[in-house]
Each structure stands twice: as structure tokens, then as C-alpha cells.
Amino acid sequence: MDFVSTRLISGDITRLVGFYEKVTGVRAVWGNEDFAELRTAHGTLAIGSTRTVSLFAPGSARPADNHTAIIEFLVDDVDALYESLRGVVEDFVNVPTTMPWGNRALLLRDPDGNLVNFFTPVTPEAIEKFNR
């Protein structure tokens, strides 16, 4: 089994896809007006409109209602990214902070309120863990 993607459901897919394109620098690939993917070397962030929910089961997902998941991106320099995002992101949860597990992390919210963590490993153990 391979983990391939995380999907967000949004009431404003164009806004949310545009946000992720800006903060990641990854251009979305649109399947149609209701579905887009931001593909990286190690995973995909898929974004679907609320119209796609009924294809699975009506009411099975609600946009802008995530209270448990954090979407994470490994970046080369989280401090530099923070500086570049200051005029783009409206809701920073924290500034770059070194975590006890060895990552320097920047936590923010996307326009739908989802938590997004950009991080850079800084301790030898964390660097080794993410050395790909």
C-alpha cells in the first residue's frame, strides 16, 4: 500500500487552490472545475469542491470544518519562507519555532481554516530522518 494524497473539500476551490499555489510555489493541475491537485515528489494535495462530496456520500465531508489534521510541507528554509509569506498569509498561528523533535516549524491557517505546517529539520536526528 502507498499513501498518495490528502484531499481538502472547499466551498471556494479557486481561492483555496490559488492560496496553495502561492505558498508552495507548486502549480496546480486541474482535472475539471471541481478538482485540482498540487503534486510534489512525495505526495499530492488534492482539492475538491463541495460538489464532489455527493459522489462519495452526501454530507460525508464539510468544507472549512477541520479541527484535527495538519497539512505539512518539508521546505529548505522555513525562516526565509516565513519572510516571503508575510504579505500573503493572513493567519499565522506561530512564527518559525524550533520544536522538541528537531524541526523548525511555521504553523498557519489556509483561507478555509485548515492548519498548515511548513518545517525544516535542524537537529542531526531530524535531518537524518528526512534525508531523502
Side-chain angles (χ1 to χ4, degrees):
M1 177 185 323
D2 288 324
F3 179 79
V4 295
S5 72
T6 296
R7 184 178 313 188
L8 301 175
I9 299 298
S10 181
D12 189 341
I13 186 173
T14 303
R15 177 192 66 178
L16 198 60
V17 169
F19 172 84
Y20 279 100
E21 286 181 324
K22 285 179 191 172
V23 300
T24 65
V26 176
R27 186 140 175 94
V29 176
W30 287 82
N32 59 42
E33 65 184 3
D34 290 316
F35 185 79
E37 294 178 321
L38 287 92
R39 301 173 184 159
T40 73
H42 299 286
T44 298
L45 178 60
I47 302 173
S49 78
T50 53
R51 290 186 294 264
T52 65
V53 174
S54 64
L55 299 172
F56 295 102
S60 60
R62 293 185 308 268
D65 196 28
N66 173 21
H67 299 283
T68 59
I70 301 173
I71 302 156
E72 298 190 303
F73 294 93
L74 175 65
V75 298
D76 291 333
D77 185 342
V78 73
D79 292 284
L81 180 64
Y82 171 66
E83 291 303 322
S84 72
L85 295 180
R86 289 177 69 168
V88 175
V89 173
E90 293 182 17
D91 191 357
F92 286 104
V93 176
N94 71 356
V95 297
T97 305
T98 302
M99 298 296 173
W101 46 89
N103 294 333
R104 190 147 172 82
L106 169 65
L107 193 63
L108 56 92
R109 290 191 186 278
D110 73 17
D112 280 359
N114 299 299
L115 286 169
V116 182
N117 182 43
F118 291 97
F119 71 95
T120 302
V122 294
T123 65
E125 297 82 11
I127 291 167
E128 178 63 27
K129 178 181 176 182
F130 291 101
N131 190 13
R132 299 176 188 209

